[in-house]
Amino acid sequence: SHPTGDKITLSFDLIVDRGIVEAYFDKGAYSQFIKRVAVPDAKKGFRFAGRAEVDSLEIFTLDSIWK
């Protein structure tokens, strides 16, 4: 992370799979793994508390290792 005044800049990679969510901060310096339970009729996605400003966003689809 890179503090600037009252702001902190960090990298954040999020991998969402059928059974788990993996979060990596600052290129793996910190990580968190969360079990994912799908709710069939859910109308909302992920929600995060607090305030954040996103400078850039890239979304990729990963191929299955089972195919």
Side-chain angles (χ1 to χ4, degrees):
S1 63
H2 308 286
T4 306
D6 62 344
K7 296 181 181 182
I8 296 175
T9 302
L10 56 87
S11 67
F12 176 69
D13 295 311
L14 185 69
I15 299 174
V16 180
D17 199 356
R18 290 183 185 175
I20 195 167
V21 175
E22 303 173 33
Y24 300 93
F25 301 90
D26 282 345
K27 299 180 182 174
Y30 303 98
S31 60
Q32 178 72 41
F33 303 91
I34 305 163
K35 181 179 177 183
R36 180 173 178 256
V37 179
V39 178
D41 296 330
K43 303 230 185 301
K44 295 183 181 180
F46 291 103
R47 296 172 66 185
F48 297 95
R51 186 177 151 183
E53 182 178 314
V54 177
D55 291 329
S56 67
L57 175 67
E58 294 180 75
I59 300 173
F60 301 95
T61 301
L62 300 176
D63 292 330
S64 172
I65 63 169
W66 306 111
K67 292 183 179 181

